[in-house]
Amino acid sequence: MKLDQRRILITGAGGGIGRAMVEALNASGARTMGVARRQRSAVAGDPAEPQTWLQGDLTLAPDIDRVARAAIAWGADTVVHAAGVPAFGAFGQQPAEQTASVLQINLWSPMALTQALLPHLHQLPDARVVFVGSALGRIGIPGSAVYGATKAGLHRFAEALRRELAGSPVSVQWLGPRATQTAFNSPESVAFNQATGTASDPPEVVAEALLALLRSGAAERHIGFPERLAVRLNGALGPLIDGGFRKHRDALFATPSEGVTP
Ligand SMILES: NC(=O)c1ccc[n+]([C@@H]2O[C@H](COP(=O)([O-])OP(=O)(O)OC[C@H]3O[C@@H](n4cnc5c(N)ncnc54)[C@H](OP(=O)(O)O)[C@@H]3O)[C@@H](O)[C@H]2O)c1
């Protein structure tokens, strides 16, 4: 796939990973349209700004419809679903309404936006839908029950949709970053990653992986080792490797100021 001929709609374009993606896509010659919750205009000369901004809160159905209509009128042939929110913490301590809103943005929104765009994408010779997931959607670790569930659900959705649309002009792709150095991660989450020896990448690594994924046409691309191995082991062995996450559990419940308990 030649990126300089693409028109790419990207949600989460103002976030840490989204900005790096926009910058890499702009540099490759692609045209970019970003979605942001608040109204904003492109800053001329900023290489990480999309050429066009759309305003939309992607938890709201009317906003999704409006974003989809504008993207169709603009001629989007690729959508990158990068908007998302974290939910790090012990599940027993998380407010139920937070769970609902995390599910809404991380899982429901990309499904709804994809559905709104599909009739248009089907009319194109080659369209792409890319879901930005997470290693935590492929492997459940303490502290990521809710977030991991949203990304696991998204992965299964992407997998089924990819198979459902096989042979059509619409290809579905999955990008699985591991921890990435953006504002997405709270100080508690960063401390947890340090305590558990979890590596994290600069967002530019994720952006380069997106370009490689788009160019290759591969179904999936996962970032980082040992995360790729852990995902495979988890898929094959499941409960047999539960003991390998003891240090994550210890780190999660070792937050003395909060006195967090299961
Ligand atoms: N950072 C990591 O460690 C990491 C690791 C693996 C996967 N990921 C995934 O990578 C993606 C990007 O993460 P990031 O690190 O770039 O996060 P980030 O810096 O916090 O950016 C998140 C983006 O999502 C947008 N967003 C959130 N809620 C929204 C809503 N209701 N409507 C519209 N947009 C909304 C934000 O829009 P505004 O700017 O308008 O607020 C922001 O642009 C997410 O899907 C995340 O799950 C991140």
Side-chain angles (χ1 to χ4, degrees):
M1 171 184 176
K2 288 195 172 134
L3 290 171
D4 60 355
Q5 292 165 12
R6 307 301 294 203
R7 296 177 80 84
I8 300 180
L9 174 72
I10 173 162
T11 71
I17 289 175
R19 277 182 63 81
M21 285 177 165
V22 168
E23 182 162 7
L25 289 167
N26 286 345
S28 75
R31 306 285 298 165
T32 50
M33 172 180 259
V35 182
R37 264 179 292 192
R38 282 181 297 273
Q39 194 75 44
R40 53 195 288 180
S41 354
V43 179
D46 183 340
E49 285 277 312
Q51 284 91 42
T52 312
W53 277 109
L54 294 176
Q55 185 277 328
D57 179 341
L58 295 172
T59 60
L60 305 175
D63 284 24
I64 288 186
D65 281 351
R66 193 166 39 73
V67 165
R69 274 189 272 106
I72 291 166
W74 179 71
D77 54 35
T78 300
V79 53
V80 177
H81 295 284
V85 292
F88 174 75
F91 177 64
Q93 312 295 321
Q94 292 188 324
E97 57 277 13
Q98 186 198 6
T99 302
S101 73
V102 175
L103 277 161
Q104 183 91 348
I105 182 63
N106 289 3
L107 182 56
W108 177 81
S109 301
M111 293 163 75
L113 182 56
T114 300
Q115 195 168 42
L117 289 169
L118 265 187
H120 161 73
L121 297 178
H122 272 302
Q123 292 170 11
L124 304 175
D126 171 26
R128 298 287 181 90
V129 181
V130 179
F131 296 97
V132 179
S134 168
L136 298 179
R138 309 299 311 284
I139 184 160
I141 68 164
S144 72
V146 171
Y147 177 74
T150 66
K151 294 295 186 176
L154 191 64
H155 182 262
R156 189 47 54 91
F157 170 74
E159 182 180 74
L161 191 65
R162 183 180 77 239
R163 292 170 180 168
E164 189 172 314
L165 300 182
S168 86
V170 187
S171 303
V172 177
Q173 297 180 288
W174 174 265
L175 182 63
R178 61 179 175 183
T180 309
Q181 295 146 21
T182 73
F184 186 87
N185 293 299
S186 64
E188 292 78 15
S189 167
V190 171
F192 175 83
N193 286 342
Q194 282 166 353
T196 55
T198 304
S200 68
D201 296 310
E204 291 72 23
V205 168
V206 184
E208 283 308 315
L210 172 69
L211 264 54
L213 179 75
L214 288 170
R215 286 186 173 121
S216 71
E220 299 194 352
R221 190 175 180 98
H222 301 271
I223 301 170
F225 186 87
E227 285 76 5
R228 277 196 300 272
L229 176 64
V231 164
R232 281 174 176 263
L233 284 175
N234 192 56
L237 301 174
L240 294 180
I241 63 167
D242 281 1
F245 300 96
R246 174 71 192 267
K247 71 179 172 188
H248 296 81
R249 186 181 179 284
D250 289 348
L252 182 65
F253 294 115
T255 318
S257 57
E258 299 294 329
V260 176
T261 59

